[in-house]
Amino acid sequence: TLTTTLTQYSMLLIVAFCTAMWLQSALAFTRFASARGQFHRASLQRSAETKSMAEKVLENPKWPPEWPYTPEDFKRMDESNDAIFYESARLVYHIDDAAVGALTDYYSKHLKDGEDVLDICSSWVSHYPKDWKGGKVVGLGMNEYELSQNPQLTSFDVKDLNEHPVFPYEDESFDKITCVVSIDYLNKPREIFSEIARVLRPGGECLLSMSNRCFPTKAFQIWLQTSDIEHVFIAGSFFHYAGSFEPPSCDDISPN
């Protein structure tokens, strides 16, 4: 059974960064420049003529001068080995059908044929368009069986990024990185976002999606203590403090 927070609607936010992107139950995108001084590109989609509150969060953010988080912010209710939690395959969607459709539609506008793509926190489905023809499409996740059932991957690797937050890939290996509704489970975001910057090529893009649903026992503490709108700021801050990205921006593509 999928455990979710007690929200009854589907919200999708995609924050697109020059080297990264994320999604909530609403979708938001943000841009950042790479550590090499070159820009990774991020594309934006609006779900309505009027900007949502989520889209405004990253227009003029007031970042604290230093990393504002403490180790306690990234503790979880369940600190047992994540391999135990993810041992059983879950061949289910973790967002509803409308949200899946909105995300796939977004990808259809931002993934180009032939691009090399890394899907972190990957599983049996990546929500890419069925007619998209990627180049090297790599999944990095926790459950080998789930990854083996993903028909859009050309290869995959099993790794616990909370134990060892280093991607097993060479520098500048990918044109795009995607992460679907999973950023709240990664308890070493500073290291993860540095790795995102490292493996993206100059001009690359990271598409990060977040949802108002989660496994609360495995989401880090500050996520559970803040709202969907505040999640936009938190995710944007991870890119900011990595020091390798353009300023972030947000798109709300929530289906309702």
Side-chain angles (χ1 to χ4, degrees):
T1 302
L2 175 64
T3 303
T4 72
T5 52
L6 297 179
T7 44
Q8 300 301 317
Y9 58 93
S10 178
M11 171 187 178
L12 285 174
L13 296 173
I14 294 179
V15 175
F17 300 80
C18 271
T19 301
M21 154 189 166
W22 63 277
L23 165 80
Q24 261 197 6
S25 232
L27 293 175
F29 278 92
T30 311
R31 298 184 182 185
F32 286 90
S34 75
R36 301 166 188 80
Q38 301 185 51
F39 289 101
H40 300 285
R41 295 177 298 110
S43 303
L44 306 179
Q45 169 186 351
R46 290 202 168 84
S47 58
E49 289 297 324
T50 303
K51 290 185 180 179
S52 72
M53 288 180 61
E55 290 178 318
K56 296 178 181 178
V57 170
L58 297 176
E59 288 186 345
N60 188 29
K62 305 299 182 185
W63 309 116
E66 303 291 338
W67 176 259
Y69 307 109
T70 67
E72 288 71 28
D73 290 328
F74 300 104
K75 289 185 176 179
R76 286 105 36 98
M77 294 182 199
D78 178 5
E79 289 288 6
S80 63
N81 192 304
D82 287 342
I84 299 171
F85 183 83
Y86 293 104
E87 183 177 11
S88 298
R90 297 178 176 89
L91 302 184
V92 297
Y93 287 159
H94 298 290
I95 49 179
D96 63 28
D97 290 346
V100 168
L103 180 57
T104 300
D105 183 65
Y106 191 97
Y107 282 157
S108 72
K109 297 175 175 65
H110 298 284
L111 295 178
K112 298 177 181 178
D113 286 352
E115 287 185 321
D116 295 329
V117 177
L118 171 64
D119 189 30
I120 64 173
C121 303
S122 188
S123 66
W124 71 285
V125 61
S126 295
H127 305 300
Y128 302 146
K130 290 183 179 180
D131 60 352
W132 173 64
K133 299 177 177 62
K136 175 178 62 178
V137 183
V138 182
L140 182 59
M142 287 286 293
N143 186 283
E144 182 175 6
Y145 181 74
E146 287 185 17
L147 292 164
S148 73
Q149 298 304 297
N150 190 327
Q152 294 185 302
L153 302 180
T154 59
S155 66
F156 63 83
D157 296 285
V158 178
K159 186 168 186 179
D160 184 350
L161 293 175
N162 286 338
E163 283 290 319
H164 189 223
V166 177
F167 298 170
Y169 312 112
E170 296 182 358
D171 296 357
E172 301 183 8
S173 295
F174 299 98
D175 301 299
K176 296 277 197 323
I177 292 177
T178 59
C179 180
V180 177
V181 298
S182 296
I183 194 61
D184 45 322
Y185 305 128
L186 297 173
N187 63 8
K188 297 181 177 64
R190 264 190 131 162
E191 292 88 340
I192 292 298
F193 282 78
S194 292
E195 283 296 284
I196 290 172
R198 181 182 67 79
V199 303
L200 273 173
R201 292 169 181 149
E205 182 178 28
C206 173
L207 306 181
L208 178 75
S209 62
M210 305 183 309
S211 170
N212 58 327
R213 301 180 179 187
C214 72
F215 295 109
T217 59
K218 283 299 184 180
F220 49 71
Q221 181 172 285
I222 195 170
W223 198 265
L224 299 178
Q225 295 175 338
T226 50
S227 69
D228 292 324
I229 298 300
E230 290 169 312
H231 295 164
V232 176
F233 186 89
I234 291 169
S237 76
F238 294 159
F239 288 100
H240 171 76
Y241 292 110
S244 303
F245 302 90
E246 289 183 345
S249 64
C250 175
D251 275 319
D252 185 349
I253 61 171
S254 301
N256 45 359

